[in-house]
């Protein structure tokens, strides 16, 4: 399991928070939740916001990273911070709001996962999900190509990164038997990034983690990153004003149980 670093993940924080805030804004106005879970809560910002928005609710923030939860505990004493694996999520009580931002792309078998999450909802409960769509992104393709070539290839052959994205129609089909109200959409954010290697910096705290964990030799790790940097410089050239434009697409899902 990758070791998450809250400080690295916090780079470009405003860009990372925007989709979560967009998802929060899209929640149904009539919900009055008693039990709220934030799955893959990370450093806890959204769980703390949900706790402030719904002061009478019991809010749980679950993450698999002790480092992230240590940071989260400094945000709110009202949130029940839980160390756990989303794949094993089994709440003791029905959930009125199940919120998950940029986390489920790390979990296997969505055809099983999404119906199971929907089945955990209380009547009229809401599943609110956001996931990055990276399968067709140029940076993701070149990362896979670089990982499969060079002296590091044997050590990266078994690395499991972000899971492949599914079609929106698949998620609708998986959720429809339990949720008569489903809204699915995508948004592409055009991030204007500064710095020498901003896309490497962006992915250092997320997508690159399992690759870097597998490369224990510092020289080999540096060679791997340099090879990817060279490809990124061609696909995402830095503008004369120092900006690197980085389109990033995300899928949003709102599903309400009957």
């Amino acid at each position: 399991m990758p070791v998450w670093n809250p400080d690295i993940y916090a780079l470009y924080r405003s860009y990372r928070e925007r989709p979560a805030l967009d998802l929060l804004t899209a929640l149904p106005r009539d919900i009055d939740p008693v039990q709220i879970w934030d799955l893959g809560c990370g450093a806890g910002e959204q769980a703390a916001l949900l706790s402030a928005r719904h002061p009478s609710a019991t809010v749980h923030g679950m993450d698999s990273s002790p480092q992230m939860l240590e940071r989260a505990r400094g945000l709110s004493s009202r949130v029940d911070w839980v160390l756990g694996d989303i794949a094993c999520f089994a709440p003791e009580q029905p959930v009125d709001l199940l919120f998950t931002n940029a986390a489920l792309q790390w979990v296997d078998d969505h055809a099983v996962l999404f119906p199971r999450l929907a089945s955990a909802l209380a009547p009229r409960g809401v599943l609110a999900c956001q996931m990055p769509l990276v399968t067709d992104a140029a940076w993701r393709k070149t990362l896979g190509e670089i990982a499969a070539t060079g002296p590091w290839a044997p050590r990266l052959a078994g690395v499991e990164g972000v899971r492949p994205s599914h079609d929106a129609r698949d998620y609708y089909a998986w959720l429809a038997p339990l949720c008569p109200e489903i809204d699915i959409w995508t948004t592409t954010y055009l991030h204007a990034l500064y710095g020498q290697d901003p896309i490497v910096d962006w992915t250092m705290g997320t997508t690159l983690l399992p690759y870097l964990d597998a490369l224990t030799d510092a020289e080999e790790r540096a060679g791997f990153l340099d090879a990817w940097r060279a490809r990124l410089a061609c696909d995402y050239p830095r503008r004369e004003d120092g900006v690197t434009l980085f389109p990033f697409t995300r899928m949003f899902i709102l599903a309400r149980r009957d």
Side-chain angles (χ1 to χ4, degrees), residues 28-211:
R29 298 295 179 89
D30 64 338
I31 59 171
D32 186 17
V34 176
Q35 289 287 327
I36 299 175
W37 280 85
D38 181 354
L39 300 184
C41 67
E45 291 91 347
Q46 284 76 56
L49 282 174
L50 287 167
S51 178
R53 178 184 287 187
H54 303 285
S56 62
T58 299
V59 181
H60 313 270
M62 190 177 83
D63 203 90
S64 62
S65 168
Q67 294 83 7
M68 286 291 196
L69 288 177
E70 182 179 357
R71 183 69 57 88
R73 289 188 180 96
L75 292 179
S76 173
S77 59
R78 289 194 63 252
V79 177
D80 172 36
W81 304 108
V82 180
L83 181 66
D85 184 350
I86 295 174
C88 302
F89 177 63
E92 295 181 357
Q93 301 180 53
V95 182
D96 301 292
L97 173 58
L98 203 166
F99 184 92
T100 176
N101 178 67
L104 298 189
Q105 71 274 13
W106 296 98
V107 185
D108 287 324
D109 202 352
H110 284 193
V112 173
L113 174 67
F114 272 76
R116 185 167 60 80
L117 294 178
S119 68
L121 295 174
R124 303 297 293 159
V126 173
L127 168 63
C129 169
Q130 182 274 121
M131 298 177 292
L133 297 181
V134 300
T135 302
D136 296 326
W139 63 270
R140 179 67 182 180
K141 288 182 177 179
T142 58
L143 177 60
E145 292 169 4
I146 295 299
T149 59
W152 47 76
R155 279 161 292 289
L156 298 180
V159 167
E160 293 187 1
V162 174
R163 307 304 188 264
S165 306
H166 293 279
D167 190 274
R169 290 167 292 188
D170 293 328
Y171 291 100
Y172 191 98
W174 296 330
L175 291 167
L178 288 170
C179 299
E181 300 176 30
I182 302 172
D183 189 11
I184 302 176
W185 70 98
T186 61
T187 299
T188 299
Y189 299 87
L190 183 61
H191 301 315
L193 307 183
Y194 290 89
Q196 186 69 27
D197 300 297
I199 298 177
V200 173
D201 293 340
W202 176 283
T203 56
M204 194 71 75
T206 53
T207 305
L208 273 175
L209 279 177
Y211 296 91

